[in-house]
Amino acid sequence: MSNPELIAQLKLFSPFNSLDDQYVQKVVEHSKITTEKKGKLLFRRGKHAEYRYYLLEGTVDLVGANFATESVVAGDDRAQQPLTDTSPTQVSAVAKSAVKLLQVESDFLDLALVWSQAADGESYIDQDVELGNLTAPLENSDLFSNDDPLSGLNLSRAHVEVEESHGDWMSGLFSSLLFSRVPPAHIRQLFTCFEAVEVKAGEDVIKEGETGDFFYVIDRGQAKVKNVTGQVNVKLETGQYFGEEALVAETPRNATVTMLTDGLLMRLGKEDFTKLLHEPVQKTLSFADYQTEKDKCVLLDVRMPLEFRGHHLEGSKNIPLSSLRNRLYELDSQIQYAIADNAGRRSHLAAYLLCQAGYDAWILQNADESYEQDVPTMQNVG
């Protein structure tokens, strides 16, 4: 099957029907069509889900606990979703007839979803408004907000000497909502880990689709952020930062950053960023602990609405990652938020964005394993 035909097949299903073609094209490179005979066990309950399977032709029985069974028929509304999207799987799948399946690598699908949705934000946030009572979006942004906690910083004293110095950049950096959470011992290490890089006008500092390797802060100069879909078109000034989202979510860069002027950038390597900045503020919560503390926090699910409707933890609120920035005004800075890890890398990026905005966010671990008690009861057939 040619690539255009496979793209057309993918676009029949969720979540591909909501993705731009450039992302679907990437998924195609990690997908294939397979056929199986009647009676074939496609996957077994309780196993790691290496692939997501979509039903193109035929009928599949999904067998859960106590042999409760749901039949999925190609072309039905249920068949628009993967046969399973949890790992470990909550059901076994058996071909009720000869079937044709679209098989997609689970890990790459996770990458594609966070890659695409991280580039869907649309707002600046008024930096003078208190958290939990934010104003409506002001203008079209995407990856970067006007309340950037690094605004006005100068990193000129790390590793290099320059003729002009504009102040103590580290004190400004760690007075921000996010970086104020970093332990003092890490702050001392960070001072020695940033390195300065001279850049020229027209130079691409990072390119869309490449692997993320550094976190950057602009010490001097201006840059433009743009992606191929045109959803991102932002100008960055001295003191603003970029590049951290690909490091947090371990995804390809979702935009290209090009220097508009000559300048000086301060950069922090991925390993140092993870150890000294990300891990100290990234908190996790076991499901057992959540059960005892759930009256004190709000559970968020950052998957797409159709994914959420398929199954979700009882009491969870759906705010897709792509709209999270625009919906911060719905949240309360006095409340703790647990983010179900069912969205994979999207969950980690969502937790980071909330912490960056000053909210207390945790990642709820092993959410998939708790679906079984919450999914609709399947009918026994036979």
Side-chain angles (χ1 to χ4, degrees):
M1 181 177 289
S2 66
N3 274 7
E5 291 174 312
L6 194 49
I7 289 176
Q9 291 278 15
L10 278 168
K11 296 284 275 188
L12 296 174
F13 300 101
S14 173
F16 312 109
N17 52 8
S18 61
L19 298 184
D20 290 327
D21 284 351
Q22 65 154 333
Y23 301 113
V24 179
Q25 176 62 57
K26 294 294 184 182
V27 175
V28 162
E29 298 169 10
H30 297 262
S31 307
K32 65 179 180 180
I33 302 293
T34 63
T35 57
E36 299 292 353
K37 296 179 180 179
K38 178 180 178 180
K40 174 71 173 181
L41 178 64
L42 306 177
F43 54 81
R44 190 183 300 275
R45 179 172 174 267
K47 300 297 183 181
H48 170 69
E50 185 177 357
Y51 301 100
R52 295 287 186 260
Y53 294 93
Y54 295 83
L55 184 61
L56 297 173
E57 296 178 6
T59 302
V60 170
D61 279 352
L62 303 179
V63 184
N66 302 318
F67 299 100
T69 304
E70 176 188 20
S71 289
V72 181
V73 180
D76 286 353
D77 288 345
R78 170 62 182 85
Q80 292 182 0
Q81 304 173 48
L83 295 178
T84 182
D85 61 356
T86 64
S87 184
T89 55
Q90 297 297 311
V91 294
S92 297
V94 181
K96 190 71 171 179
S97 66
V99 296
K100 179 183 287 188
L101 301 163
L102 178 59
Q103 179 178 305
V104 183
E105 292 179 16
S106 298
D107 190 61
F108 191 82
L109 176 56
D110 184 34
L111 278 171
L113 288 173
V114 72
W115 183 10
S116 64
Q117 291 179 42
D120 281 345
E122 295 179 348
S123 67
Y124 281 108
I125 299 174
D126 190 335
Q127 62 183 342
D128 296 323
V129 179
E130 286 188 16
L131 292 171
N133 187 26
L134 300 176
T135 60
L138 299 179
E139 49 181 292
N140 197 14
S141 159
D142 207 317
L143 297 178
F144 307 92
S145 64
N146 204 31
D147 67 340
D148 201 316
L150 299 184
S151 180
L153 301 183
N154 180 283
L155 306 187
S156 60
R157 294 186 179 180
H159 282 222
V160 296
E161 293 294 334
V162 295
E163 292 183 0
E164 269 189 87
S165 174
H166 300 87
D168 184 356
W169 64 271
M170 289 299 281
S171 63
L173 177 65
F174 290 100
S175 67
S176 69
L177 293 171
L178 177 68
F179 298 117
S180 62
R181 301 170 183 237
V182 177
H186 288 210
I187 295 176
R188 290 191 290 271
Q189 291 183 58
L190 275 168
F191 188 81
T192 63
C193 291
F194 274 101
E195 62 177 333
V197 180
E198 297 279 357
V199 287
K200 299 295 184 182
E203 181 178 340
D204 289 335
V205 181
I206 62 176
K207 295 182 180 180
E208 184 173 0
E210 290 184 343
T211 300
D213 48 5
F214 291 100
F215 163 70
Y216 295 90
V217 185
I218 300 178
D219 176 54
R220 186 176 68 246
Q222 297 177 337
K224 176 180 67 176
V225 188
K226 196 168 184 178
N227 73 347
V228 296
T229 67
Q231 292 173 310
V232 184
N233 191 1
V234 183
K235 182 179 178 181
L236 296 179
E237 305 280 353
T238 298
Q240 290 184 292
Y241 67 88
F242 59 91
E244 80 279 16
E245 292 189 10
L247 306 185
V248 171
E250 297 186 346
T251 58
R253 300 290 194 186
N254 55 23
T256 296
V257 177
T258 305
M259 294 302 299
L260 296 174
T261 66
D262 292 350
L264 179 69
L265 301 180
M266 304 305 301
R267 70 182 188 183
L268 186 66
K270 179 179 179 179
E271 183 176 343
D272 289 327
F273 173 87
T274 300
K275 177 183 177 182
L276 301 176
L277 287 182
H278 182 212
E279 289 181 351
V281 301
Q282 184 68 91
K283 299 179 290 186
T284 59
L285 185 67
S286 71
F287 192 79
D289 287 340
Y290 167 71
Q291 289 290 73
T292 62
E293 299 289 333
K294 63 181 179 181
D295 291 338
K296 302 177 183 178
C297 65
V298 173
L299 178 59
L300 297 182
D301 188 316
V302 298
R303 296 173 302 159
M304 293 181 179
L306 189 57
E307 295 177 279
F308 180 79
R309 289 197 295 271
H311 51 70
H312 56 267
L313 290 173
E314 183 180 359
S316 57
K317 179 178 181 178
N318 184 214
I319 302 183
L321 175 64
S322 58
S323 62
L324 181 61
R325 293 176 181 85
N326 285 346
R327 296 176 63 180
L328 287 174
Y329 68 91
E330 299 179 19
L331 307 182
D332 186 340
S333 61
Q334 303 303 311
I335 293 177
Q336 292 183 331
Y337 290 91
I339 301 174
D341 68 351
N342 51 16
R345 293 174 175 87
R346 287 175 287 173
S347 299
H348 287 265
L349 183 53
Y352 177 84
L353 293 175
L354 287 183
C355 290
Q356 184 183 61
Y359 295 94
D360 192 4
W362 302 66
I363 294 178
L364 175 59
Q365 297 178 308
N366 303 319
D368 281 350
E369 297 178 8
S370 306
Y371 279 142
E372 196 165 301
Q373 60 191 4
D374 298 310
V375 297
T377 302
M378 296 185 288
Q379 300 296 316
N380 286 307
V381 298

